[in-house]
Amino acid sequence: MKLLEYQAKDIFRNYGILTPEEQLAEDPSQAVKIGEDLGFPLVVKAQVPVGGRGKAGGVKLVKDVKELENSVKEIFGLNIKGCIVDKVLISEAIPYEGEYYLSFTLDRSRRLPLIIGSQAGGIDIEEISRTKPEKIEKVEYDFILGIKDYDLRRLFNKVFVNIPNKSSLFSDFSELIKKLVLIYYNEDATLVEINPLVISNNKFIALDAKLLIDDNALFLHPDTKSLRDKIGDETLQEKMARELGLTYVSLDGDIACIVNGAGLAMATMDLVKYWGGEPANFLDIGGSSNPEKTLNAFKIILTNNKIRAILVNIFGGITRCDDIAKGLLEAIKSLNINLPMSVRLIGTNDEIAKELLQNAGISVFSSMDEAVKDIVKRIKEA
Amino acid sequence: MSILVNSESKIIVQGITGRDGSFHTHQMLSYGSKVVAGVTPGKGGTEIFGIPIFDTMKEAVKNTQANVSIIFVPERFAADSIVESADSGINLIVCITEGIPVNQMLKISKYLSINTNSRLIGPNCPGLISPGQCKVGIMPAQIFKEGNVGIVSRSGTLTYEVVYNLTKAGFGESTCIGIGGDQIVGTSFIDVLSLFKDDPQTEKIVLIGEIGGDEEEKAAEYIKNNISKRVVAFIAGRNAPPEKRMGHAGAVILQGKGTAESKVKAFEEAGVKVADRPSDIPELLK
């Protein structure tokens, strides 16, 4: 789960990391009031769960109330990569020189967390590593020793290479790193990022903040979990699925897919594409064969008004095909479904399931390719 | 021959009295796997399907000389169950449980490598099966057939799909292993490939990967330098959007890394054929 900037900064401040004076505004008049209280100059920053908001006009520097009013008007309601801005952060504009990058993150490949620092902050780390890899320094975290001092000095000297007389900053830097590590472990993060990190009046300040929390660990952090609804990174269907305990990812196409298992669900959407169709979603109904889950899956896909056909692909193991068939028939009856549908069922109790469905006039396939070809053909003929 | 498990493997089920634990214990027994004990704290001294239940792994191992364990314990307690199993001297630990926090797994994989000789498979995996000999997992046994194809996969049902296609085409399997769909798993593609390389029963290998991480890229490099047996790969998630977790905790393209494109390219450069569809795999394996 990726937190919004203001949510991440609230957590940063709890750990003593400095940020500019700032407050969240959820409507334009509140934004202006906060601005008048804070004093000028200020920065207005759209709070959206996607990158690239600066380029999209979601960040503005303002010098007085007039400019603030205008910017706020422009930014609220702005569409940034499909996200409509409904929250802005009003932030004190502080003077500083130089922008740096600092993060503590899981390195999946090395199977340990790393500190990553760069003298080129303010741009995406992805872009830094592509265009200026020589400006990046990495330090591995050791599970027994933590961060070694000599590594920390190497990182410090590399990141702040352009600052003369920087030695007075070292102890603050070392403290800052400790705070990042603490946040990472205490909050079960997989990324704690400050970008840009700036130095203002000899103090390290986090101008922006990014925090990725491990979804698997949210059960340990009810407070963080409750922030989810404010983030706005989910479509209606994704939110519904999460609340019902299923996994759904929205895509752009018109063929709704209902599959058991994540790998098979990915392979199914790839196969739809292979045969010339466009999948509307990824949906994994999981391993149990509770007919309720099948019914819920249909409830979710039907809220997407772009869908024109339905593909069901079940490989029965623990999941019993006859249970899926019963859930499916119940869904057709109670939800009044009249879209073209192709069903592929194989594995445990598939014969019973086929009979149930064929009696109801639904085409059932044993092969995944045949089911996909059938539905793609029918959608093209329709 | 097969790898990791065979008809002599003695298995303990951790969390044997739970819904999934008891159901799959029954399934494993029906397959002929030697389940010799179960562990559920507080239920020591009782029995299930005629199998003794112990409170701790130490007691269970001492009384049964088991060498394999399979974990069905809920995610809150599963990490501790892995450690308990390793500390009791179990060689092969299979963790079915999904949802263990990744930072716990980081520490545990480090702990296992420093303090124990145990191998962990999973978490968030379907387990493994050597057809005709032993099943330590949750896969539907009827689709498997003894044979010469080794299968290693990050997925569950997709593996069944591939096995179904292989069996239909007349192939059988030496051992089929699901290594798990999480970001950090105990046994990697390379670990399994190196075992298949030395296993005389395994003549061909199928690798089923998916988006996220760089394990497939590393595996491709390993195959190029070490494996002369035929390998066919399949990668799921070619059309997955970036930054979205596709069901598995590990199936996510982050900051442009972990795309299907990169993995397919790595395999092709290593001379490994990549199937466009699961149903293409048998033909490429011939």
Side-chain angles (χ1 to χ4, degrees):
Chain A
M1 180 168 101
K2 181 173 152 193
L3 299 187
L4 293 174
E5 175 191 6
Y6 82 93
Q7 297 169 325
K9 278 178 164 169
D10 281 344
I11 293 176
F12 278 25
R13 281 188 292 266
N14 288 343
Y15 285 82
I17 294 176
L18 301 176
T19 68
E21 275 294 305
E22 54 195 15
Q23 263 189 59
L24 184 75
E26 300 195 65
D27 63 60
S29 63
Q30 195 191 4
V32 172
K33 173 142 193 340
I34 290 169
E36 285 173 329
D37 289 348
L38 284 176
F40 294 88
L42 292 168
V43 185
V44 183
K45 302 166 95 176
Q47 300 296 291
V48 282
V50 291
R53 62 181 172 173
K55 278 183 200 147
V59 180
K60 290 262 159 68
L61 176 70
V62 297
K63 293 194 292 291
D64 52 39
V65 178
K66 187 91 200 125
E67 285 186 14
L68 175 62
E69 283 171 349
N70 288 338
S71 305
V72 160
K73 238 182 260 165
E74 278 169 38
I75 294 178
F76 269 102
L78 193 66
N79 183 335
I80 302 179
K81 294 181 186 167
C83 301
I84 307 297
V85 179
D86 62 354
K87 289 184 272 299
V88 299
L89 194 57
I90 306 293
S91 180
E92 165 200 21
I94 56 162
Y96 62 85
E97 277 175 31
E99 296 190 329
Y100 307 92
Y101 173 96
L102 198 60
S103 69
F104 191 63
T105 185
L106 167 66
D107 186 310
R108 203 169 149 173
S109 177
R110 299 188 217 199
R111 304 164 71 88
L112 40 74
L114 288 176
I115 303 176
I116 302 175
S118 173
Q119 47 190 284
I123 46 173
D124 227 24
I125 188 66
E126 204 184 318
E127 198 180 324
I128 306 176
S129 54
R130 202 171 48 239
T131 56
K132 301 169 184 162
E134 74 286 353
K135 301 208 173 199
I136 291 182
E137 192 70 12
K138 292 181 178 176
V139 169
E140 292 187 355
Y141 181 86
D142 183 87
F143 287 96
I144 297 167
L145 298 174
I147 312 270
K148 297 163 201 152
D149 276 348
Y150 78 91
D151 269 341
L152 199 57
R153 284 195 299 274
R154 171 170 60 85
L155 179 75
F156 178 76
N157 288 327
K158 177 90 181 248
V159 173
F160 303 110
V161 65
N162 297 323
I163 302 183
N165 307 322
K166 56 178 165 284
S167 58
S168 64
L169 289 168
F170 184 74
S171 74
D172 273 2
F173 181 71
S174 168
E175 285 304 309
L176 180 61
I177 297 285
K178 277 184 200 150
K179 287 166 189 162
L180 296 186
V181 174
L182 261 185
I183 293 174
Y184 180 91
Y185 282 112
N186 288 356
E187 304 296 330
D188 271 302
T190 53
L191 170 70
V192 188
E193 182 185 272
I194 305 178
N195 186 26
L197 171 72
V198 300
I199 303 166
S200 180
N201 290 325
N202 271 317
K203 295 225 179 318
F204 287 108
I205 314 268
L207 277 200
D208 198 352
K210 191 162 155 189
L211 201 47
L212 291 184
I213 306 290
D214 177 13
D215 290 297
N216 281 357
L218 285 175
F219 72 89
L220 298 167
H221 305 278
D223 290 352
T224 314
K225 198 174 173 180
S226 70
L227 297 175
R228 170 129 253 168
D229 286 337
K230 286 271 181 192
I231 299 176
D233 60 340
E234 292 172 310
T235 61
L236 170 72
Q237 292 80 25
E238 287 167 352
K239 184 161 186 269
M240 246 178 113
R242 176 168 56 81
E243 285 163 356
L244 291 165
L246 306 175
T247 314
Y248 183 105
V249 175
S250 294
L251 303 167
D252 289 334
D254 50 14
I255 301 177
C257 304
I258 297 178
V259 189
N260 68 325
L264 190 61
M266 276 188 272
T268 303
M269 61 187 223
D270 291 345
L271 201 64
V272 168
K273 201 89 178 170
Y274 178 92
W275 286 113
E278 291 293 335
N281 64 276
F282 163 100
L283 173 54
D284 171 14
I285 61 165
S288 123
S289 58
N290 183 348
E292 183 84 20
K293 276 202 173 174
T294 312
L295 187 61
N296 285 338
F298 277 97
K299 281 185 188 159
I300 296 166
I301 60 164
L302 290 172
T303 61
N304 175 5
N305 53 26
K306 279 197 286 191
I307 69 164
R308 291 168 58 220
I310 300 169
L311 172 68
V312 179
N313 183 15
I314 302 296
F315 203 109
I318 321 154
T319 308
R320 289 166 44 183
C321 294
D322 55 330
D323 281 341
I324 298 282
K326 281 176 204 151
L328 200 152
L329 292 173
E330 172 63 28
I332 292 174
K333 205 169 72 185
S334 67
L335 304 173
N336 226 341
I337 302 171
N338 47 21
L339 292 164
M341 188 178 335
S342 257
V343 180
R344 185 278 181 121
L345 288 165
I346 196 147
T348 314
N349 292 354
D350 53 359
E351 289 305 322
I352 310 171
K354 268 180 203 164
E355 204 180 308
L356 281 172
L357 294 178
Q358 272 158 357
N359 289 343
I362 298 165
S363 24
V364 183
F365 298 86
S366 301
S367 141
M368 181 166 152
D369 283 281
E370 295 309 317
V372 173
K373 275 199 285 196
D374 173 73
I375 201 71
V376 171
K377 184 165 155 252
R378 281 159 68 190
I379 211 169
K380 284 192 173 148
E381 283 166 357
Chain B
M1 283 285 285
S2 54
I3 64 166
L4 297 169
V5 292
N6 56 38
S7 53
E8 303 300 310
S9 300
K10 288 171 142 185
I11 306 158
I12 298 175
V13 178
Q14 297 178 257
I16 196 168
T17 51
R19 193 195 58 190
D20 294 337
S22 59
F23 175 79
H24 290 291
T25 300
H26 189 257
Q27 298 284 309
M28 286 187 278
L29 286 167
S30 313
Y31 194 69
S33 299
K34 287 190 181 130
V35 179
V36 295
V39 168
T40 299
K43 303 246 169 96
T46 60
E47 282 189 353
I48 184 168
F49 312 123
I51 297 164
I53 302 178
F54 298 89
D55 283 324
T56 68
M57 280 299 290
K58 281 235 162 74
E59 291 168 80
V61 172
K62 197 176 149 209
N63 283 282
T64 61
Q65 284 79 51
N67 55 351
V68 175
S69 84
I70 179 166
I71 297 174
F72 290 98
V73 171
E75 64 271 20
R76 260 171 208 268
F77 313 108
D80 184 58
S81 295
I82 295 171
V83 174
E84 187 189 358
S85 184
D87 286 348
S88 70
I90 290 286
N91 302 118
L92 183 72
I93 305 163
V94 178
C95 184
I96 306 297
T97 308
E98 176 174 6
I100 301 180
V102 68
N103 286 322
Q104 287 184 19
M105 276 317 301
L106 276 183
K107 288 184 186 168
I108 282 170
S109 70
K110 198 78 180 174
Y111 178 85
L112 295 186
S113 70
I114 296 173
N115 299 307
T116 74
N117 294 316
S118 307
R119 173 190 292 287
L120 171 68
I121 293 181
N124 189 12
C125 79
L128 69 162
I129 181 169
S130 292
Q133 298 195 60
C134 181
K135 168 177 131 168
V136 188
I138 60 172
M139 54 284 275
Q142 70 275 10
I143 58 172
F144 293 87
K145 202 176 76 182
E146 200 173 342
N148 62 9
V149 183
I151 301 176
V152 59
S153 171
R154 277 169 69 187
S155 167
T157 45
L158 176 57
T159 313
Y160 313 157
E161 176 73 37
V162 171
V163 169
Y164 166 78
N165 281 291
L166 287 175
T167 306
K168 217 170 55 176
F171 288 100
E173 301 78 37
S174 53
T175 300
C176 173
I177 302 183
I179 58 172
D182 276 0
Q183 295 193 71
I184 301 292
V185 292
T187 295
S188 67
F189 276 133
I190 292 180
D191 294 333
V192 178
L193 288 169
S194 74
L195 295 169
F196 279 145
K197 175 172 92 104
D198 297 329
D199 173 38
Q201 186 187 342
T202 304
E203 291 171 18
K204 298 162 188 234
I205 300 167
V206 175
L207 184 153
I208 305 162
E210 61 192 31
I211 55 160
D214 64 355
E215 286 294 321
E216 288 81 2
E217 285 86 341
K218 288 179 182 168
E221 184 68 23
Y222 178 85
I223 293 167
K224 190 167 81 181
N225 297 323
N226 298 283
I227 296 198
S228 53
K229 296 176 181 181
R230 169 158 301 199
V231 184
V232 173
F234 178 79
I235 304 295
R238 291 180 192 230
N239 298 291
E243 311 286 326
K244 290 278 187 185
R245 236 161 256 286
M246 306 304 282
H248 289 151
V252 57
I253 298 165
L254 280 179
Q255 299 182 314
K257 287 192 191 129
T259 61
E261 206 181 0
S262 152
K263 294 168 193 298
V264 170
K265 189 166 158 247
F267 281 120
E268 283 172 349
E269 282 172 5
V272 173
K273 290 206 168 114
V274 183
D276 286 332
R277 302 175 292 161
S279 55
D280 287 336
I281 294 173
E283 193 54 42
L284 293 176
L285 212 53
K286 276 175 189 162

